[in-house]
Amino acid sequence: MSFLSSWRLLLLVAPIALLVAYIAIQRRRHEQVVRFTSVAMLDSIAPRRSGWQRHVAPAAVLGSLVVMTLAFAQPAMATATPRDRATIVLALDTSASMSATDVSPSRLEAAEKEARSFISGLPDGVQVGLVTFDRSARLLVPPTKDHAALLAALGNLPVGPGTATADGITTSLSAIAGVPQGDSGTPTPAAIVLMSDGTPTVSDGSGTPTEAATAAAAKAKDAGVPIDTIAFGTDAGTVSVQGQDVPVPIDSAAMESIARESGGRSFTAATSDQLGSIYDQIGRDVAYEVTTHEVTAAFAGVGLLIAIGAAVAGLVWTQRLI
């Protein structure tokens, strides 16, 4: 809930002040009655009536003033509706470091599981593509609404040497560029979700691996495709190489740099649950469109009904409108 003219909420001071004044007047009246009236005589001649009834009408009037003030501030509700057209490309790191078991059962298996949940929760109208990268990138599934094909492709992804992050971004951009435009000729809203655990180690020939990844992220920004990055794993990760445990800590700084250069957001996940929560957030932001609807009329209607109720209560219990 938000208010388009929130400064008007300052007028709520008026009904609050009226409430304080009403309570003060009632207390003063009670003190005067007790001071100057014989209570025994008053009990014998005054009709017995529940004390709360005479307060209903004033309370309802104050309530209607509060609701009408809220209506005057133009309340609005935000509603998330599934997009009819949107494209998301999942770019998953399948380098050897993803076999580390610091995230159970392994980084890659946990990533596959959460990616499945992510895809299953997306609206039917969202096209999803799947890219994997180690020493090179592969487009496993072009953007499609056939989410079942994506789920099938996510089974038992093999790991390989190297981390060609730049190639993964470029392949994802090419996949998005191949999506047909809508009937209006406007490009489909698109985003890349890049999940990786380490520093880029393979270049595309345009500089060092890190420079190449940065340049690819800049191309994504020029194309209007933000890259949301997820650094997945912990600093305690290791892999076995020829019988030796080799540390493979995550490089969240590299992921942050790519996201910043592309105009996207960066996240860090150390557990499967954290990764799932991040995927859920990205899915809501990319696959759903948030629209704001003003609900002033609804608040005004409620305020009017309360005011009518106050008038009826006054006539029934005090023979006055208020």
Side-chain angles (χ1 to χ4, degrees):
M1 172 73 70
S2 61
F3 294 90
L4 302 182
S5 301
S6 57
W7 64 269
R8 296 177 181 176
L9 293 175
L10 293 173
L11 294 176
L12 286 172
V13 172
I16 294 174
L18 289 173
L19 174 61
V20 173
Y22 179 79
I23 293 174
I25 291 173
Q26 294 301 311
R27 287 182 176 178
R28 186 181 305 122
R29 178 180 299 174
H30 177 73
E31 293 173 355
Q32 291 174 346
V33 168
V34 171
R35 182 181 305 172
F36 299 108
T37 304
S38 170
V39 177
M41 181 180 297
L42 184 64
D43 287 341
S44 64
I45 62 175
R48 295 186 178 275
R49 185 177 62 184
S50 299
W52 64 268
Q53 293 174 338
R54 72 177 186 274
H55 301 300
V56 172
V61 169
L62 291 175
S64 69
L65 289 176
V66 170
V67 175
M68 295 296 281
T69 301
L70 296 178
F72 185 54
Q74 296 179 277
M77 297 286 291
T79 305
T81 56
R83 293 184 185 272
D84 294 333
R85 297 170 57 249
T87 300
I88 300 174
V89 173
L90 285 177
L92 302 182
D93 181 357
T94 55
S95 61
S97 59
M98 289 295 291
S99 61
T101 57
D102 54 330
V103 180
S104 180
S106 72
R107 292 177 180 177
L108 185 57
E109 290 181 72
E112 289 178 359
K113 176 186 174 184
E114 297 306 328
R116 287 175 178 274
S117 299
F118 171 67
I119 293 170
S120 298
L122 292 174
D124 294 336
V126 176
Q127 299 185 92
V128 186
L130 177 61
V131 170
T132 61
F133 62 94
D134 37 62
R135 61 184 172 187
S136 62
R138 296 161 295 277
L139 176 61
L140 297 187
V141 182
T144 177
K145 294 181 182 180
D146 185 2
H147 295 175
L150 289 155
L151 297 177
L154 277 168
N156 300 316
L157 297 176
V159 297
T163 307
T165 308
D167 197 12
I169 295 172
T170 302
T171 302
S172 300
L173 286 174
S174 298
I176 291 171
V179 175
Q181 294 184 345
D183 296 336
S184 62
T186 58
T188 302
I192 297 172
V193 180
L194 177 68
M195 197 283 301
S196 180
D197 66 350
T199 305
T201 61
V202 179
S203 175
D204 61 359
S206 60
T208 67
T210 299
E211 291 172 345
T214 301
K219 292 179 181 177
K221 183 176 183 179
D222 292 340
V225 180
I227 303 174
D228 288 339
T229 62
I230 306 173
F232 185 44
T234 70
D235 291 334
T238 61
V239 294
S240 179
V241 179
Q242 297 180 348
Q244 299 292 325
D245 288 339
V246 178
V248 285
I250 64 169
D251 188 350
S252 57
M255 294 297 99
E256 290 175 4
S257 177
I258 291 171
R260 182 173 59 253
E261 188 66 33
S262 70
R265 300 164 297 172
S266 62
F267 303 89
T268 301
T271 66
S272 294
D273 289 342
Q274 290 178 359
L275 180 60
S277 298
I278 292 169
Y279 271 137
D280 288 342
Q281 180 179 342
I282 293 174
R284 288 192 301 269
D285 295 342
V286 177
Y288 290 82
E289 184 175 8
V290 178
T291 56
T292 301
H293 303 279
E294 189 175 343
V295 290
T296 298
F299 273 72
V302 171
L304 179 61
L305 289 176
I306 296 176
I308 293 173
V312 172
L315 290 174
V316 171
W317 286 320
T318 66
Q319 291 74 52
R320 294 181 299 177
L321 285 177
I322 300 178

